[in-house]
DNA sequence: CAAGGCGCTTCGTTTTTCCTAGTTAGCCTT
DNA sequence: AAGGCTAACTAGGAAAAACGAAGCGCCTTG
């Protein structure tokens, strides 16, 4: 699976197989590195907008303009680029209805939908730890 | 709670209270926005290195140099800045043992530790959807 | 016909992130 | 005593990411 641009290079948990480009760690149970799978997850989610985009798409398929409205603050060019990356990563699928008029929708794939429990856990954590209305 | 710099501005779920600076949505159950709490979570986790840093600290307290070694690819200044941000957000605590020699350690707070279930869910998702060894 | 929306792309500008060299203090070895 | 190394950062500039505005072709609406 391809990543676009450079992504954070992370070390893997002791004993796990190192993908290309990663330094292979000696098998050492006391090494305090980040879980390799978690690091993998953060290759996507550690990029600005991806988490919120995926979160938005859990509400169902959306067109480009609708996503632009619903993800406040994102620019057209970044939205376009992120959607391309998420497609290439297999998390989002783009489907085109030729119309007229042409209509495009973006939808979570099964892989993308499989993120929902984790995103729910993140949402629960934020609700419990950063109640709305207390920011200043 | 203070955020450093500007963070992605997101719209909130219909009916939820809008914090300062957010556009208030009309209460409209069909609006497909990202859950406000999830958006809040991604203010931290959508920044490069934060997720991996927090993931690394789930293994226990670490000093700066140890973190530098265990989070492969991060530079000193970014590590320093991210740790400061995570402290200010209440996710990490810094404690200093004056020595000599001076010794500093960073540790997850209760709020930071409360992220562990969500990070475990993310790790599970990545393991099941991106098996190691298949990257190219 | 004019105006607006959709679904984007392009490019110059701005903002954010990142890197590297450097600092001080202490420890260890020769 | 001197030199090398580590810890825990910081400063300033470089690089990358993100933004904003303009634009395109097509369609719908008035």
């Amino acid at each position: 699976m391809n990543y676009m641009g450079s992504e954070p290079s992370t070390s893997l948990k002791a004993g796990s197989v190192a993908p290309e480009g990663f330094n292979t760690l000696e098998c050492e149970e006391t090494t305090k590195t980040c879980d390799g799978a978690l690091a993998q997850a953060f290759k996507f989610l550690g990029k600005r907008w991806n988490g919120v985009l995926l979160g938005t798409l859990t509400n169902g398929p959306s067109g480009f303009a609708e996503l632009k409205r619903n993800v406040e603050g994102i620019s057209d060019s970044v939205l376009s680029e992120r959607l391309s990356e998420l497609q290439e990563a297999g998390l989002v699928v783009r489907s085109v209805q030729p119309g007229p008029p042409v209509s495009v929708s973006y939808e979570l794939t099964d892989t993308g939908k499989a993120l929902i429990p984790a995103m729910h856990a993140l949402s629960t954590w934020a609700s419990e730890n950063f109640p709305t209305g207390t920011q200043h």
Side-chain angles (χ1 to χ4, degrees), chain A:
Chain A
M1 175 176 119
N2 284 323
Y3 291 103
M4 302 193 63
S6 60
E7 60 272 357
S9 171
T10 58
S11 44
L12 298 177
K13 206 158 195 172
S16 54
V17 176
E20 281 181 353
F22 283 97
N23 289 335
T24 305
L25 288 176
E26 299 291 344
C27 190
E28 182 183 339
E29 67 269 22
T30 56
T31 300
K32 293 175 173 180
T33 59
C34 182
D35 178 341
L38 184 62
Q40 188 93 342
F42 277 113
K43 283 184 197 305
F44 302 108
L45 299 173
K47 291 193 89 175
R48 191 175 184 192
W49 297 117
N50 276 359
V52 171
L53 254 180
L54 291 168
T56 303
L57 286 170
T58 62
N59 297 316
S62 287
F64 189 97
E66 187 176 13
L67 282 170
K68 175 72 192 292
R69 283 192 296 275
N70 291 334
V71 181
E72 191 172 330
I74 197 167
S75 66
D76 283 10
S77 52
V78 173
L79 178 55
S80 178
E81 187 174 337
R82 287 294 179 277
L83 287 170
S84 295
E85 287 174 8
L86 292 171
Q87 284 175 73
E88 291 179 24
L91 301 179
V92 163
V93 67
R94 173 180 185 265
S95 52
V96 183
Q97 290 77 46
V102 165
S103 170
V104 174
S105 77
Y106 295 91
E107 180 168 8
L108 289 179
T109 59
D110 287 343
T111 304
K113 285 173 182 165
L115 252 183
I116 291 176
M119 290 202 277
H120 189 261
L122 285 171
S123 181
T124 300
W125 169 78
S127 296
E128 292 172 356
N129 288 278
F130 305 113
T132 56
T134 59
Q135 296 89 344
H136 67 284

